[in-house]
Amino acid sequence: MARGVDPGFVGSNVENHKEPTLPVLQETRTVVTLAPAKPTGLADLGVPLDDASQVKKGRAHEFQQLLTDGAIGRRFQDLRVIGIKTSEGGVTSAKFVVQFEIFGDNTVGPTNGVGVEVVLFAGTEPLASLSFGNLFLPYANFWYPNRFLLEAAAADFDRADRLEFIAKPEEVRAV
C-alpha cells in the first residue's frame, strides 16, 4: 500500500463542506404621515430658525422586520421624521431628518449592508429617494439610535405629505 493513503478513504471533506446559510431579512415598509408642526424640539439639530421657517413632523411607533422563516430579525421603534425648510446665510434649504432606534434580535447586520431607503411622497407621486447603507447596529440584542438626513428641493418640501420607510432585505449573521 502506498504511504499516506487510507484504503477506506472515499471522498474529501473539502468537497462535502458547505458554507452555513445566513438568515435573510424580508423587506419591510411603513408609512409616516407628515403634517405641519411647530418648530419645537429642534435644539439638538442646530436648526437656524427665522420667521419664514417651516416644519413638518411625523412618527411611527414600532414595527418589526422579519426573517424569511418568520422569526423577528430586527425591531424598529420611535421612528421620527422632522422636515425643516429654513434659510441659512440667505440660502433656503429643505431637509428631512429620519431618526429611529433599532434592535437586532439575535442578528447582526453585515459591515456593508443595504440598510434602509426613504421615499418622500406627495400623494402617490414620489418626490425624492435616498438609500442609507450600514445601519448603526454593531451588536445583537441591544437598542441603538440611528439618524439620517434626506435633502430635498424646497418645492418638494412644500408638497410632501408622507414618507415611506423601507427596511431592505439583507443577509444577517445569527448569534
Side-chain angles (χ1 to χ4, degrees):
M1 175 168 22
R3 184 180 157 151
V5 175
D6 179 359
F9 182 74
V10 179
S12 166
N13 280 342
V14 173
E15 293 170 2
N16 295 329
H17 175 73
K18 292 183 180 179
E19 288 292 320
T21 304
L22 294 175
V24 178
L25 293 164
Q26 297 180 34
E27 182 175 290
T28 303
R29 295 172 179 249
T30 192
V31 173
V32 177
T33 302
L34 299 172
K38 293 180 181 180
T40 57
L42 305 179
D44 70 327
L45 297 176
V47 178
L49 297 174
D50 59 23
D51 291 340
S53 297
Q54 296 176 9
V55 176
K56 292 184 179 184
K57 293 181 182 179
R59 188 176 199 168
H61 291 285
E62 186 172 333
F63 61 97
Q64 302 165 348
Q65 186 176 17
L66 301 179
L67 296 167
T68 52
D69 68 1
I72 297 172
R74 288 185 181 153
R75 297 174 196 264
F76 293 83
Q77 80 173 9
D78 200 20
L79 170 61
R80 292 176 288 155
V81 179
I82 303 168
I84 304 137
K85 184 170 103 173
T86 192
S87 180
E88 182 176 38
V91 177
T92 299
S93 68
K95 300 177 184 190
F96 288 86
V97 177
V98 179
Q99 51 194 16
F100 55 90
E101 292 182 14
I102 185 170
F103 183 89
D105 280 23
N106 298 319
T107 65
V108 176
T111 57
N112 58 350
V114 294
V116 299
E117 178 180 2
V118 294
V119 182
L120 193 61
F121 282 89
T124 59
E125 179 187 352
L127 300 172
S129 173
L130 191 59
S131 291
F132 307 109
N134 295 346
L135 297 172
F136 185 71
L137 185 64
Y139 301 102
N141 298 310
F142 196 82
W143 286 102
Y144 293 98
N146 278 255
R147 181 185 286 177
F148 298 101
L149 181 69
L150 170 65
E151 294 199 39
D156 289 345
F157 176 91
D158 294 339
R159 297 179 54 216
D161 59 8
R162 67 184 174 97
L163 180 136
E164 187 171 41
F165 182 91
I166 306 161
K168 298 174 111 180
E170 68 181 335
E171 288 183 340
V172 290
R173 182 173 51 84
V175 292

